[in-house]
């Protein structure tokens, strides 16, 4: 466990050195491709058979964040130190610094869960139990050459498609934390007070509590929070008409708060990809964005929100207790591409 703890904690610095020369010269997709090739070159034939699949494999669009005994891909625990470092360099190249920091700490929260459950929980809590899968020919060039990456385990599912030297899709992007706030002293890496997705929660509380009574009546779609995000594990969300309050019905300060919430999800991706996400939202028009809330207006009681634009969907839910019984201390949140997760065409 100490080895993986060191690898996870130190990789931000190591990866920064490895990526520094590429930051200005290469696109995020080119960076990812370079580190994907480097990762595969470290693998044995048997490991490569687990880690690399055909681009059209049905497993490419299968995703989930719940604990599982088996998943697609090659698990970090099945790698040696060099392979594990190469895998995490690849992940680092696919995310922003903020995004990688969140992913890193979500993995390390498995240590916290293991300690809180005293090793007696239903599922193994292990920061090495995360899987890397590559889809397609990662060495192929050309505008029509597509390849994909999945990095997945408990409370983390990150999915990417690259084609023609560009990241053409980077969703579903799922992150979660249990506990949402570490409320007890620990003897592991992450200590008391750790709150990985704190801003995603607190900025939304700030927004909803700034609404006047008429605005809140429109924004609040249910007195009780939904029990879970919708469309979990589905390749595509099937959404109806937008619900909640429109961006145009917010005052300027509230509009900025909503943009700040959206930016937290957008900026998990590298800067260039995040900029493309933002440009897409702006092209569709912020006035087409809606904010909806369900449940309590204060922490510690179940709450849920969603932000819906023409081509994106954010969902956040915090209703479950942590292993110590602290209520509403277990966050699930997701960013989805309504123009086609996994770069899939939208059904007519």
């Amino acid at each position: 466990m100490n080895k993986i703890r060191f690898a996870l904690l130190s990789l931000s610095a190591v990866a920064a050195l490895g990526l520094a020369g590429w930051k200005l010269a290469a696109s995020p997709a080119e960076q990812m491709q370079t580190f994907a090739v480097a990762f595969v070159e470290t693998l044995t034939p048997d490991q490569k058979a687990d880690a690399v699949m055909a681009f059209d494999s049905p497993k490419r669009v299968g995703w989930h964040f719940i604990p599982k005994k088996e998943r697609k891909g090659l698990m970090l625990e099945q790698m040696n130190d060099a392979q594990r470092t190469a895998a995490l360099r690849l992940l680092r190249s696919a995310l922003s610094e903020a995004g990688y920091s969140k992913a890193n700490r979500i993995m390390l929260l498995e240590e916290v869960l293991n300690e809180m459950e005293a090793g007696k929980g239903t599922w193994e809590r292990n920061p090495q139990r995360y899987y890397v899968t590559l889809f397609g020919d990662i060495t192929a060039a050309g505008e029509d050459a597509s390849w994909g990456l999945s990095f997945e385990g408990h409370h983390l599912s990150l999915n990417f498609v690259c084609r023609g030297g560009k990241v053409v899709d980077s969703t579903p992007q799922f992150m979660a934390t249990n506990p949402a706030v570490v409320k007890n002293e620990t003897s592991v890496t992450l200590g008391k007070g750790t709150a990985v997705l704190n801003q995603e929660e607190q900025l939304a509380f700030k927004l909803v509590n700034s609404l006047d009574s008429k605005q809140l009546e429109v924004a609040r779609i249910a007195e009780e929070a939904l029990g879970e995000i919708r469309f979990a594990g589905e390749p595509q969300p099937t959404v109806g008409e937008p619900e909640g309050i429109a961006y145009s019905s917010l005052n300027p300060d509230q509009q900025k708060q909503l943009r700040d919430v959206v930016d937290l999800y957008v900026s998990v991706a590298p800067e260039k990809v995040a900029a493309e996400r933002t440009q897409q939202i702006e092209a569709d028009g912020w006035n087409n964005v809606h904010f909806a809330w369900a449940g309590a207006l204060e922490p510690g009681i179940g709450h849920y929100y969603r932000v819906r634009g023409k081509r994106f969907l954010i969902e956040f839910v915090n209703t479950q207790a942590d292993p110590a019984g602290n209520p509403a201390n277990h966050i699930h949140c997701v960013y989805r591409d309504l123009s086609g997760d996994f770069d899939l065409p939208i059904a007519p």
Side-chain angles (χ1 to χ4, degrees):
M1 189 71 74
N2 288 337
K3 287 185 178 181
I4 185 63
R5 181 185 302 175
F6 175 80
L8 288 168
L9 287 174
S10 65
L11 195 72
S12 291
V14 174
L17 291 173
L19 293 174
W22 289 88
K23 285 293 185 183
L24 297 177
S27 70
E30 290 169 330
Q31 294 178 41
M32 289 172 62
Q33 188 172 35
T34 295
F35 287 102
V37 170
F39 167 63
V40 171
E41 287 177 347
T42 70
L43 303 181
T44 67
D46 286 345
Q47 289 175 315
K48 186 175 178 180
D50 288 334
V52 182
M53 301 181 183
F55 186 77
D56 60 359
S57 168
K59 292 185 177 181
R60 186 175 74 84
V61 299
W63 72 282
H64 221 299
F65 52 85
I66 59 176
K68 288 185 173 185
K69 290 184 178 179
E70 295 183 359
R71 275 188 153 88
K72 63 179 182 282
L74 183 64
M75 186 167 55
L76 292 177
E77 191 173 50
Q78 298 169 329
M79 304 176 194
N80 61 35
D81 287 348
Q83 293 166 339
R84 191 177 301 120
T85 298
L88 293 172
R89 283 183 187 273
L90 171 58
L91 176 63
R92 175 65 185 88
S93 71
L95 300 172
S96 66
E97 183 175 348
Y100 181 77
S101 175
K102 290 175 184 180
N104 185 335
R105 289 178 290 157
I106 287 168
M107 290 185 272
L108 288 171
L109 276 173
E110 293 296 286
E111 292 182 327
V112 178
L113 280 176
N114 186 61
E115 185 168 273
M116 293 180 75
E117 295 173 346
K120 298 177 181 178
T122 303
W123 299 98
E124 179 187 4
R125 305 302 191 182
N126 182 352
Q128 298 185 66
R129 200 170 180 81
Y130 289 83
Y131 294 72
V132 180
T133 319
L134 292 161
F135 298 93
D137 182 359
I138 58 173
T139 65
E143 293 185 1
D144 297 326
S146 297
W147 65 277
L149 166 66
S150 163
F151 190 94
E152 186 174 276
H154 180 227
H155 277 175
L156 195 61
S157 184
L158 302 169
N159 304 275
F160 307 87
V161 177
C162 299
R163 184 172 60 251
K166 291 190 64 178
V167 178
V168 294
D169 216 309
S170 50
T171 59
Q173 172 190 294
F174 178 90
M175 293 182 159
T177 52
N178 181 20
V181 180
V182 179
K183 297 190 175 183
N184 302 316
E185 298 291 346
T186 77
S187 64
V188 295
T189 308
L190 300 181
K192 183 178 180 180
T194 299
V196 179
L197 300 174
N198 181 62
Q199 286 188 296
E200 285 81 348
E201 182 169 53
Q202 294 305 316
L203 289 184
F205 269 129
K206 182 179 178 181
L207 172 57
V208 74
N209 283 303
S210 76
L211 303 179
D212 63 32
S213 58
K214 290 183 178 179
Q215 289 175 314
L216 183 60
E217 185 176 355
V218 177
R220 200 173 193 178
I221 58 174
E223 291 297 317
E224 290 191 15
L226 280 68
E228 184 54 279
I229 64 166
R230 302 169 302 162
F231 321 116
E234 297 180 22
Q236 294 289 329
T238 306
V239 295
E241 292 299 313
E243 296 181 280
I245 189 167
Y247 178 89
S248 58
S249 297
L250 303 174
N251 66 40
D253 287 343
Q254 293 166 338
Q255 290 177 344
K256 182 182 183 304
Q257 290 170 28
L258 181 53
R259 293 195 304 269
D260 288 345
V261 170
V262 172
D263 186 61
L264 290 170
Y265 294 83
V266 166
S267 61
V268 166
E271 184 177 351
K272 292 180 181 178
V273 177
E276 291 170 356
R277 288 175 167 185
T278 301
Q279 289 165 7
Q280 183 186 83
I281 295 170
E282 291 175 347
D284 291 340
W286 277 100
N287 286 341
N288 291 316
V289 174
H290 287 69
F291 172 73
W293 186 275
L297 302 178
E298 61 187 76
I301 308 172
H303 49 282
Y304 162 96
Y305 71 81
R306 80 177 65 127
V307 186
R308 164 81 184 277
K310 185 177 180 180
R311 287 185 283 178
F312 79 93
L313 172 69
I314 289 168
E315 289 195 84
F316 173 108
V317 65
N318 186 349
T319 57
Q320 300 180 58
D322 68 18
N326 296 304
N329 198 35
H330 181 157
I331 290 170
H332 290 176
C333 61
V334 68
Y335 182 89
R336 306 205 65 168
D337 180 0
L338 299 183
S339 66
D341 284 325
F342 300 104
D343 194 38
L344 293 175
I346 296 296

